[in-house]
Amino acid sequence: MTSTTLEPLPVSLAGSTDHPAVHATLASLPKYFRPATPGGPTTGPITGTVTAVPTLTALSAALDARPTGILLAGVAAGGVADVRELAGRAAAAGVPVVVAGPWALDPAVAALAGALDAEDASLIEVTATVPAGSSPPDVLLDQLALLRTAIGPARAVEVIQADVHGHLARAHVGDVPVHLAAAVSGLGTRRARLDVLGPAVQWRLSFPDPATARPATVARTDADGERLLPTLYESAYRAAWRHLHAAVTDGAAPPYSLHDLADDLDLLHN
């Protein structure tokens, strides 16, 4: 039996993704990635490299350069048609795109794949605290992405209130009601919690500010009491880079794709 050793993928960066935090993340994944040039990741997408882009506009430009894969590091709740068009272009070019976010790709979510079942729930709550200046549609989009990767896609999203202080919305996953809320904090933190509440089992996923090194925590409560699951020390953003590597080298489907993004945007616009 023989095994194939894959060389680390060369990386180029675009715009605001070319900053020390991204370089540090890539340096922590030496078996997966290497700089496109000896001095470090080169600004701007390069044919034959993987790249990170900060916006949908930058993604559109990056597709013209035909990189081998793209990490979309920033998403605003813009037009659905643009995202679907970008998804079509990426598919036609054979370029996998992984959509990163503050919570959806956290490894704690992936570790619970299949365990969080809406059929066993009576209520689902997704709450967040976000910095001043955060856009309610953008935060709500991050919450919908978390729902999709953790449990399943939402439907019938209804925004009840949204202003500079935060937002309140409701939806359903299957037939289970979902409450989505966020409050603006003057402390500049961004954290979230997902609670899946059922008559026999309850789950609580707590996500610290992604800017810190603190990992997410997962607690399960049942008739035997509360149990804290093993902690996975990796950020959602670092995990997104690993998913990009798997998409490029193994053809793995991204946990949250451009098509998923377009579907969640559609929920906000309808």
Side-chain angles (χ1 to χ4, degrees), residues 1 25 69 123 165 192 209-210 260:
M1 179 178 177
T25 297
L123 176 67
H165 303 293
D209 191 326
D260 295 325

Side-chain angles (χ1 to χ4, degrees), residues 15 18 39-40 80 84 96 106 113 125 141-142 145 157 163-164 166 193 197 199 213 216 231 237 241 269:
D18 187 11
V80 180
R84 296 203 189 279
D106 193 287
E125 296 182 330
L141 186 61
D142 287 334
V157 175
D163 55 30
V164 295
R193 200 170 95 174
L197 308 175
T231 302
Y237 188 67
W241 279 102
H269 287 277

Side-chain angles (χ1 to χ4, degrees), residues 126 128 135-137 139-140 143 159 161-163 165-169 180-183:
V126 188
S135 163
V139 178
L140 184 52
Q143 292 176 309
V159 178
Q161 174 265 331
D163 55 30
H165 303 293
H167 69 257
L168 177 65
L180 304 115

